[in-house]
């Protein structure tokens, strides 16, 4: 039986993206680096969930990609 992912937390970067998948009970299901192509494929294949990422220059692009596939996007303000 596959474990349901309730949230994808994505750390955006130029070449590879760190993606942490979280289950409904808050457990980390996986945490791995993905290429741009693989991230786009993941957002396409993944059943709808919350996609959280830090608000930055490319977050709006990736947020629109996620929304096209039914995901609920949440941008977290950057704090320094």
């Amino acid at each position: 039986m596959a474990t349901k992912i309730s949230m994808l937390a994505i750390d955006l970067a130029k070449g590879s993206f760190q993606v942490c998948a979280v289950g409904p009970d808050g457990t980390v299901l996986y945490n791995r680096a993905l290429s741009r192509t693989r991230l786009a494929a993941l957002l396409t294949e993944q059943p709808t969930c919350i996609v959280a990422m830090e608000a930055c220059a490319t977050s709006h692009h990736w947020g629109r990609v996620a929304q096209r596939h039914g995901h609920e996007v949440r941008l977290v303000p950057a704090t320094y």
Side-chain angles (χ1 to χ4, degrees):
M1 180 177 142
T3 306
K4 179 170 173 29
I5 294 173
S6 64
M7 180 185 303
L8 290 172
I10 304 172
D11 184 15
L12 301 170
K14 288 183 180 180
S16 64
F17 306 95
Q18 194 69 29
V19 178
C20 181
V22 180
D25 59 353
T27 59
V28 174
L29 303 174
Y30 64 81
N31 188 354
R32 60 179 73 131
L34 300 178
S35 66
R36 289 174 182 266
T37 305
R38 187 63 192 117
L39 177 60
L42 174 67
L43 293 172
T44 301
E45 299 162 358
Q46 174 63 43
T48 58
C49 66
I50 296 169
V51 175
M53 60 191 109
E54 184 178 26
C56 68
T58 61
S59 60
H60 294 283
H61 165 74
W62 286 107
R64 287 189 298 272
V65 171
Q67 284 179 327
R68 272 191 294 250
H69 299 290
H71 300 290
E72 178 185 337
V73 176
R74 296 187 187 172
L75 298 182
V76 180
T79 58
Y80 298 97

